Amino acid sequence: MGIAYENQHVGLRDDPPDRPGGLRLRLVAFGFLGMGPVTIAVDSYGPVTDNAQSVYELSTIEQIPA
């Protein structure tokens, strides 16, 4: 994000003429916003898998020979 912000004065051919570099900054921001739901989903699913592993281990504890 910082690199895109610092280099926004260096325009590309696809940028609008009134705001050189603006497209680049918007693409970076869109990428960050797009990763938000993925991060939330992965962080939310972690405890579910931890609990599933614990339930599995507790369900097989009676089968372990003493």
Side-chain angles (χ1 to χ4, degrees), residues 5-63:
Y5 179 75
E6 291 294 326
N7 292 325
Q8 68 180 337
H9 65 278
V10 180
L12 296 172
R13 279 186 247 138
D14 296 336
D15 288 344
D18 58 339
R19 280 195 217 170
L23 177 64
R24 199 172 330 159
L25 193 59
R26 286 188 293 256
L27 286 174
V28 170
F30 184 73
F32 280 140
L33 290 174
M35 286 302 295
V38 174
T39 304
I40 291 171
V42 169
D43 289 345
S44 299
Y45 192 67
V48 173
T49 56
D50 291 343
N51 289 340
Q53 179 67 28
S54 299
V55 168
Y56 170 74
E57 289 173 359
L58 289 173
S59 69
T60 59
I61 200 164
E62 294 178 358
Q63 298 173 0

